[in-house]
Amino acid sequence: MLQVKSLTITQKKDLRTLIKDFNLTLNRGDKAVIIGEEGNGKSTLLKWIYSPSLISDYADADGIRTTQGEVIGYLPQELAENDKEKTVAEFFTDTGAFDEGYSEDLYRVAAEMGFSDTLIYSDRKMNSLSGGERVKIQMAGILLSSPDILLLDEPSNDIDLTTLRWLENTINGFSGAVLYISHDETLIERTANRVILLEHLRHKSVARATVANVPFAAFVEERKRTFDNQEREALNERREEKKALEKFRRIEQAVESDLNSISRRNPSGGRLLKKKMKAVKSMERRYEREHGEMTELPETESAITVRFSRQKAIPSGKTVADFSFPQLKIPDGTVIAKDICFTVKGPEKICIVGANGTGKTTLIRKIAKELATRTDISVCYMSQNYEETLPYDLTPTEYLAPSGSKDDVTTARTFLGSMNYTAEEMFHPIKELSGGQKAKLFFLKISVCETDVLILDEPTRNLSPLSGPEVRKILKQFPGAIISVSHDRKYISEVCDKVYELTEEGLKRTDIAKTL
């Protein structure tokens, strides 16, 4: 059992409270997912639960964490700096995976996750692997330690569809407790039996945590029903209050008028009116008291709002691009795929899937580079590594308003506000933002540009289950073409028209339903 009592976490830089008075008890069999908008402290919470020292350089925490001697396995969102330069073999050696009695388990886990024995003993550096390969290797190392509790920060990021299904089975079949963060709505729907929602209300000045002991779909449905009922009741009470106050004001004005105009020759009439005014004042105090007891309007973080307004639709019959790559090579010169051919016509939304390490990111970089030379179309490229396409040393405001003019800065701040950025976050360096905030910044940029083609590498990987539906709707409505790489099954089913699987023999058209 793991318990967290009265936890409050405050960010040092802005003195903003990320978590306030948070309590949680995690028991065997619990599969609890932490959700919330970007920058709300999900990863910070998970780090603190694993080891408070992990957040000490940027946040202050006050709370109690207790366990009963359980072994805790922790998957960080990013590979630890001291592990990046290790070879795969060195990484496994340091986890004890090659110790006597563990090798057989390692081979079994590797086979289940879909990576070969060759990779286990590889001298490839960890930071040279694909994002999905790194996640698989870290998960293998964690599971070999026979943990009682799993703390997983974005375990679904970057892993292929086959491994996603393995992850679902692993979480569901794990006998201990699992506390995880994920933006993959399908994974959450299929695994979570508890939901922890972190919210920041009133322009991120008030932190609120909700712990619900129900599956995700039931949580969403119950939350909407509760909010709708509360809002309906609150609005009805306010309408009735308005009618009552209007009647009260008429009585008050009539009594005041009579009191001001009564003749001094009728003192008894004046006394009666004063008594009546006293009753009116008593009625006013009653209304004030009842107003304080009214049902509150429900508070929740507002949905992000962004629309493509400057893009022109591409005619359905127009050939946007016709790709033919005889070979696909990784930087060391190794050929990983050949005979890659496909055509993009009109406003098609195309997704490329495939096993980790097959070269999807390499391919989409190549596509982006080729299209960037075209003068007849405008292209925006969103890399899986945001540092490739975002100027990390600029602030979001500087990025969206490079001119620095007052009008442009005001417009940029309005756009950022629509994406739930606080005033402080608008002037933080981009490198200090969360992954989800960086993704939102990219969507803001392309929404104000005249873009014909979007090249997107895992566009939804850092967006919360609350933001995801809105972003998918935005991308579906994009009037131009989209060429993307994704393992997000909601994105594939709701946005994409065609799906191709990248293999060693090239791209193969795939039935969308088979990827879900």
Side-chain angles (χ1 to χ4, degrees):
M1 181 178 70
L2 182 149
Q3 278 190 315
V4 176
K5 295 181 181 179
S6 304
L7 174 63
T8 295
I9 299 178
T10 304
Q11 209 170 40
K12 288 182 178 179
K13 184 168 185 176
D14 298 330
L15 299 180
R16 182 160 69 92
T17 300
L18 297 176
I19 312 284
K20 185 174 178 62
D21 296 331
F22 178 73
N23 297 282
L24 176 69
T25 299
L26 202 64
N27 294 306
R28 287 176 63 84
D30 283 344
K31 321 295 185 199
V33 63
I34 305 173
I35 64 172
E37 287 301 307
E38 295 70 30
N40 279 7
K42 300 184 297 296
S43 292
T44 297
L45 172 60
L46 207 64
K47 287 177 182 178
W48 182 88
I49 291 174
Y50 180 64
S51 174
S53 64
L54 292 180
I55 69 167
S56 59
D57 60 334
Y58 68 90
D60 292 318
D62 181 28
I64 300 171
R65 164 191 173 277
T66 59
T67 64
Q68 297 178 342
E70 291 90 349
V71 176
I72 299 177
Y74 171 59
L75 175 74
Q77 187 175 135
E78 299 290 341
L79 185 67
E81 286 296 324
N82 62 331
D83 287 332
K84 288 182 178 179
E85 290 301 318
K86 292 178 181 177
T87 66
V88 177
E90 289 170 341
F91 179 86
F92 277 125
T93 298
D94 290 345
T95 64
F98 296 144
D99 293 350
E100 186 177 353
Y102 283 103
S103 296
E104 187 175 333
D105 289 336
L106 177 58
Y107 296 144
R108 175 182 52 78
V109 172
E112 290 173 355
M113 299 179 73
F115 63 87
S116 65
D117 297 355
T118 304
L119 182 59
I120 292 174
Y121 296 100
S122 172
D123 59 0
R124 289 178 62 186
K125 295 288 183 69
M126 289 289 288
N127 61 1
S128 73
L129 303 175
S130 71
E133 287 173 319
R134 287 196 296 270
V135 171
K136 288 180 180 181
I137 288 168
Q138 290 177 89
M139 280 296 295
I142 291 168
L143 292 174
L144 288 173
S145 68
S146 300
D148 303 297
I149 298 172
L150 290 177
L151 305 180
L152 309 177
D153 194 348
E154 297 291 358
S156 54
N157 266 8
D158 305 324
I159 60 177
D160 56 44
L161 294 168
T162 299
T163 312
L164 272 172
R165 297 185 187 99
W166 170 87
L167 179 62
E168 290 172 1
N169 293 333
T170 298
I171 292 176
N172 286 328
F174 188 69
S175 61
V178 183
L179 179 63
Y180 69 99
I181 300 167
S182 179
H183 297 141
D184 188 313
E185 292 170 59
T186 304
L187 174 73
I188 295 171
E189 289 171 353
R190 294 178 180 178
T191 58
N193 57 25
R194 301 182 70 188
V195 178
I196 300 164
L197 172 62
L198 302 184
E199 294 179 284
H200 286 176
L201 309 172
R202 302 174 198 171
H203 303 291
K204 296 195 175 182
S205 65
V206 176
R208 180 174 74 185
T210 302
V211 180
N213 298 321
V214 294
F216 181 68
F219 169 76
V220 172
E221 183 179 345
E222 178 60 28
R223 177 178 165 82
K224 183 179 186 306
R225 182 166 54 247
T226 300
F227 274 38
D228 288 347
N229 290 341
Q230 184 179 341
E231 183 177 43
R232 185 164 49 249
E233 185 176 347
L235 292 175
N236 284 338
E237 289 177 3
R238 281 156 178 74
R239 280 192 292 268
E240 292 301 316
E241 180 193 48
K242 183 179 179 182
K243 292 178 184 178
L245 285 175
E246 288 174 352
K247 183 178 180 180
F248 164 74
R249 294 302 176 199
R250 288 195 297 270
I251 295 172
E252 183 182 44
Q253 290 168 7
V255 173
E256 285 179 346
S257 177
D258 289 345
L259 191 59
N260 290 334
S261 62
I262 192 168
S263 170
R264 292 181 181 177
R265 297 174 183 174
N266 185 7
S268 61
R271 285 194 296 272
L272 289 172
L273 283 172
K274 286 180 180 179
K275 286 183 179 180
K276 196 169 185 179
M277 177 56 76
K278 186 176 180 180
V280 168
K281 292 298 182 184
S282 176
M283 187 185 301
E284 183 176 34
R285 288 192 294 272
R286 178 168 63 84
Y287 281 132
E288 289 175 351
R289 185 174 65 254
E290 290 176 350
H291 180 80
E293 297 171 353
M294 291 176 66
T295 302
E296 293 184 359
L297 284 165
E299 285 190 286
T300 184
E301 284 189 295
S302 56
I304 61 175
T305 54
V306 65
R307 292 289 181 272
F308 296 112
S309 58
R310 303 184 63 183
Q311 290 74 19
K312 296 179 181 178
I314 297 177
S316 298
K318 179 179 178 179
T319 298
V320 176
D322 193 0
F323 298 104
S324 180
F325 304 125
Q327 292 183 330
L328 186 65
K329 298 179 180 180
I330 56 177
D332 67 4
T334 302
V335 176
I336 53 177
K338 59 184 181 180
D339 299 330
I340 298 172
C341 303
F342 73 105
T343 301
V344 182
K345 289 192 174 183
E348 285 185 332
K349 312 292 189 287
I350 290 173
C351 185
I352 299 170
V353 300
N356 291 129
T358 53
K360 299 182 297 298
T361 291
T362 301
L363 174 60
I364 208 163
R365 279 189 185 132
K366 193 175 182 69
I367 290 171
K369 185 176 181 180
E370 181 167 305
L371 291 182
T373 63
R374 297 265 295 270
T375 57
D376 59 324
I377 57 174
S378 176
V379 178
C380 270
Y381 169 49
M382 179 184 191
S383 171
Q384 185 181 127
N385 178 6
Y386 300 132
E387 193 170 4
E388 290 184 26
T389 48
L390 287 175
Y392 268 29
D393 290 332
L394 296 183
T395 69
T397 304
E398 291 169 337
Y399 177 57
L400 294 178
S403 70
S405 70
K406 183 177 180 180
D407 287 346
D408 286 350
V409 168
T410 299
T411 300
R413 295 190 67 180
T414 300
F415 282 138
L416 290 165
S418 74
M419 285 289 198
N420 295 333
Y421 281 79
T422 66
E424 293 81 9
E425 289 167 343
M426 295 178 190
F427 294 98
H428 282 180
I430 292 173
K431 62 186 174 186
E432 295 182 7
L433 300 176
S434 70
Q437 288 171 313
K438 292 169 186 172
K440 287 180 177 180
L441 189 58
F442 176 85
F443 287 119
L444 278 177
K445 186 70 170 181
I446 61 177
S447 74
V448 298
C449 296
E450 295 182 3
T451 304
D452 302 307
V453 182
L454 300 181
I455 311 295
L456 310 176
D457 194 353
E458 297 287 0
T460 60
R461 65 194 289 264
N462 283 311
L463 297 174
S464 79
L466 305 178
S467 297
E470 185 66 19
V471 170
R472 293 194 298 270
K473 190 187 305 178
I474 293 166
L475 292 174
K476 183 66 177 177
Q477 294 169 351
F478 178 65
I482 296 178
I483 305 170
S484 59
V485 167
S486 182
H487 300 125
D488 181 341
R489 290 161 286 186
K490 294 281 187 182
Y491 168 81
I492 293 171
S493 64
E494 295 177 17
V495 177
C496 302
D497 306 312
K498 293 180 180 178
V499 177
Y500 292 93
E501 181 181 3
L502 180 60
T503 70
E504 293 180 356
E505 303 303 318
L507 287 173
K508 297 180 180 179
R509 181 77 181 273
T510 302
D511 183 358
I512 291 178
K514 291 182 179 179
T515 66
L516 306 181

